Amino acid sequence: AWVIAHVAQETPPVATSALDYVLDGDRELRTVEAALARAEADPAHSGEALADLHQRFDTIGGYSARPRAATLLAGLGFVDARHGEPVANFSGGWRMRLNLAQALMCRSDLLLLDEPTNHLDLDAVLWLEDWLGRYPGTLLLITHDRDFLDGVVDGIVHVNARKLTTYTGNYAQFERERAQQLALQQATYNKQQRQVAHLH
């Protein structure tokens, strides 16, 4: 029953504004907004049902959604003047930032990120590192940026010989522990080889 967010790999050249495109990342918000619009347009609507929808809208942070989306855009390098521009006006790299902002907008339990820093400048990378450090859900991150990993993760899953080994700590800690394990394995192997040679 987890809500899973991920970054879309393609962005259609739609006329939707950048801000609205990011807001679309919160699917429940959009569903409640549509239900509210239908209920308010229906003269025979139930006051109790409308009150329930407004309560749900408040509970999911609907009244702060636009400022939250604007904060995501600003953090990823979009100046305020471009928040209202259509998605179609942005280049491929900026569209990837929009996809990232949309994924971050989703109130998810699991966030899947594959090389999220590829299209970001240093300021945006530092902002994203800080944002992900406060992310309340589970983050599964794939990246070649070791500094970014060190600033964001508190656990590493190492895949080797078709086995998964988990390590606590950041990437630098993983490298130290892995190096120690390899040195211990090598020392054990060398000792075994000396014993084999002695027995022969």
Side-chain angles (χ1 to χ4, degrees):
W2 276 17
V3 175
I4 301 173
H6 69 282
V7 179
Q9 296 303 304
E10 293 183 14
T11 315
V14 294
T16 307
S17 74
L19 187 67
D20 281 324
Y21 185 79
V22 172
L23 284 165
D24 289 344
D26 191 336
R27 292 179 294 280
E28 185 180 8
L29 172 73
R30 290 308 206 188
T31 301
V32 173
E33 282 179 339
L36 272 169
R38 283 191 306 275
E40 289 171 349
D42 180 4
H45 70 267
S46 159
E48 185 177 339
L50 189 59
D52 288 343
L53 285 170
H54 277 287
Q55 175 62 38
R56 184 70 196 141
F57 188 73
D58 183 44
T59 301
I60 64 174
Y63 296 109
S64 62
R66 284 194 170 276
R68 191 161 47 99
T71 300
L72 291 172
L73 285 171
L76 292 173
F78 291 86
V79 294
D80 290 351
R82 300 203 72 188
H83 292 192
E85 279 189 42
V87 171
N89 286 8
F90 293 96
S91 67
W94 286 100
R95 287 185 193 179
M96 286 308 295
R97 290 184 189 216
L98 285 171
N99 287 345
L100 177 58
Q102 192 178 68
L104 299 180
M105 185 68 190
C106 179
R107 291 170 294 104
S108 60
D109 302 299
L110 173 63
L111 177 59
L112 307 174
L113 294 179
D114 182 9
E115 298 291 353
T117 60
N118 274 359
H119 299 280
L120 304 181
D121 57 23
L122 181 59
D123 288 338
V125 168
L126 293 173
W127 176 86
L128 180 60
E129 186 178 305
D130 180 61
W131 192 94
L132 291 174
R134 292 179 279 110
Y135 176 66
T138 299
L139 169 66
L140 181 58
L141 172 68
I142 300 170
T143 183
H144 290 91
D145 187 338
R146 293 175 179 208
D147 292 332
F148 185 71
L149 275 175
D150 279 345
V152 173
V153 303
D154 58 10
I156 300 285
V157 177
H158 182 243
V159 183
N160 186 37
R162 298 171 59 180
K163 292 181 181 176
L164 301 176
T165 307
T166 57
Y167 296 83
T168 57
N170 63 19
Y171 191 78
Q173 290 170 305
F174 155 73
E175 282 188 315
R176 283 192 298 274
E177 285 185 44
R178 179 81 177 131
Q180 289 169 356
Q181 283 182 352
L182 290 174
L184 181 61
Q185 286 173 356
Q186 187 63 44
T188 303
Y189 174 78
N190 291 342
K191 182 178 178 183
Q192 288 171 346
Q193 292 308 304
R194 285 194 301 274
Q195 288 175 336
V196 167
H198 176 72
L199 290 173
H200 278 272

